Amino acid sequence: MRQGEFELIDRIGGLFRVPAGMKGIGDDCAVIPQTSEKDLLVSADMLVEKVHFLMDKISAFDLGWKSAAVNISDIAAMGGRPVATFLSIAIPENLDDEWMECFLKGYAAVSDKFSIALLGGDTTLSRDSLCINVTIIGECKHGAAVLRSSALPGDLICVTGHLGDSAAGLRCLLGDISCAETFSKAHCRPEPRVREGLLLSGMNGIGAMMDISDGVASDIRHIMSESRVGASIDVSKLPVSADLQEACSRYGWDPVELALCGGEDYELLFTCRKGAAIPVAHTVIGEIVQSGSLIWTDGPAKSEKNYRGFEHF
Ligand code: ADP
Ligand code: MG
């Protein structure tokens, strides 16, 4: 049987030693100290046709935007400032120049929004699918990167924004249902939470932080394992938009499932000490606990379901 995505990453990590002072595999970005004042943040993310997107379901502009945005989000997740990207593309023979122009316009639009330079990459032919790989570099004050490993028992678990709108967008696209603008925007043009990440990294009492790419149900487990803690999440507290509530009642969707398991929200999931003055709009959805387990509650009652997020394999 083939090992799972996370087992494979663990195995790769086990083969290499991380130099002292650096943070390697296991967080949203690697952290490489530069000077006594500054650390470099680096992350890479790949988008593959038929795995992450379908050519007839997303516009070239939106795919360009999203390719850069999901990487910018990993810098935001560390509380860093994005600086530059490198774009590598494997292009199928039948892709026309006009498509590529629109893709680059989308990529440039979100890069310009956050004043991020494009400094290089690689271009090659693909015999099959379109494949896009982006490497991003960012920076933060030395030692200020907010890791997944800094949660403590008793911390509040919080998220920015709404959850599940992106998953609803995907459902509408795949089911050819007319898509509320909230959903298509969340799915196709996510807004990385750079400002929020920076504010949170400077907050007194910040714990752990990451961005939500696979869904809270999966992502909270990374904070748990890296911080060696458990978590209790109240599904009645999940921030769900009015549009999502309305669509769920219309189509019989489960808002909790979409909010926890859909993924691609690109909101920030963070923990902080109780009583901390949180400087960004957020919702408290649970608490870090000592025991290693993940407990789902529905208000005061225990929830019947054990939710899981998205895994690629
Ligand atoms: P994210 O969703 O934040 O991009 P991932 O779940 O993709 O994070 O990856 C988790 C961690 O595993 C990251 O630290 C990433 O750098 C690392 N990682 C993923 N794939 C590989 C690989 N093939 N080789 C080395 N490290 C990897
Ligand atoms: Mg991430």
Side-chain angles (χ1 to χ4, degrees):
M1 199 185 85
R2 197 155 66 153
Q3 56 199 329
E5 178 185 354
F6 300 124
E7 284 85 67
L8 175 59
I9 294 172
D10 280 349
R11 206 179 116 55
I12 296 171
L15 297 173
F16 297 87
R17 206 180 54 80
V18 180
M22 296 189 189
K23 166 82 199 162
I25 295 175
D27 223 300
D28 295 281
C29 293
V31 184
I32 308 170
Q34 296 298 287
T35 63
S36 57
E37 264 132 59
K38 210 181 264 184
D39 291 348
L40 192 68
L41 305 169
V42 186
S43 177
D45 243 310
M46 187 142 66
L47 289 136
V48 178
E49 184 186 351
K50 288 177 254 183
V51 177
H52 297 98
F53 62 90
L54 298 169
M55 291 299 263
D56 58 346
K57 300 288 184 192
I58 189 164
S59 73
F61 184 97
D62 286 349
L63 189 61
W65 175 290
K66 196 167 174 176
S67 303
V70 302
N71 280 274
I72 300 169
S73 178
D74 276 324
I75 300 286
M78 309 298 288
R81 192 178 72 79
V83 174
T85 63
F86 294 77
L87 169 64
S88 300
I89 29 184
I91 308 172
E93 274 153 310
N94 59 1
L95 202 71
D96 60 50
D97 294 346
E98 198 188 325
W99 189 98
M100 210 59 219
E101 276 302 307
C102 292
F103 173 88
L104 292 171
K105 275 190 188 143
Y107 191 97
V110 70
S111 300
D112 288 349
K113 188 164 180 177
F114 293 94
S115 307
I116 303 169
L118 177 94
L119 294 183
D122 198 13
T123 305
T124 174
L125 179 69
S126 169
R127 296 270 173 237
D128 186 22
S129 307
L130 173 65
C131 184
I132 302 150
N133 179 74
V134 178
T135 299
I136 188 162
I137 60 172
E139 61 184 19
C140 67
K141 274 199 219 130
H142 178 56
V146 188
L147 305 178
R148 295 177 180 182
S149 55
S150 317
L152 291 178
D155 278 4
L156 301 175
I157 302 173
C158 310
V159 292
T160 58
H162 290 130
L163 300 177
D165 286 342
S166 171
L170 180 63
R171 248 186 219 190
C172 293
L173 287 174
L174 295 180
D176 283 325
I177 303 170
S178 81
C179 198
E181 207 191 315
T182 321
F183 304 156
S184 56
K185 201 169 167 300
H187 188 68
C188 300
R189 285 191 209 177
E191 292 273 343
R193 297 292 192 181
V194 175
R195 191 186 67 84
E196 290 81 354
L198 283 166
L199 286 169
L200 287 166
S201 75
M203 168 178 100
N204 231 331
I206 184 71
M209 184 155 72
M210 65 182 297
D211 68 334
I212 306 171
S213 51
D214 295 338
V216 166
S218 168
D219 291 332
I220 189 65
R221 291 172 211 265
H222 296 305
I223 288 182
M224 288 167 55
S225 62
E226 290 289 317
S227 300
R228 299 170 189 279
V229 292
S232 170
I233 293 181
D234 185 345
V235 301
S236 72
K237 299 258 171 67
L238 299 170
V240 170
S241 69
D243 282 339
L244 186 57
Q245 268 159 7
E246 198 260 327
C248 285
S249 30
R250 182 179 322 165
Y251 300 119
W253 296 342
D254 177 0
V256 174
E257 190 82 33
L258 285 166
L260 286 177
C261 313
E264 298 200 294
D265 300 293
Y266 300 106
E267 294 294 345
L268 296 176
L269 171 65
F270 64 95
T271 82
C272 66
R273 311 291 112 87
K274 278 195 191 110
I278 305 173
V280 301
H282 66 281
T283 307
V284 177
I285 61 166
E287 193 173 320
I288 295 291
V289 297
Q290 192 104 45
S291 88
S293 53
L294 177 52
I295 304 150
W296 299 107
T297 63
D298 189 350
K302 214 163 178 294
S303 166
E304 271 141 47
K305 278 202 194 155
N306 178 21
Y307 297 93
R308 304 204 71 87
F310 179 81
E311 267 200 57
H312 290 106
F313 293 179

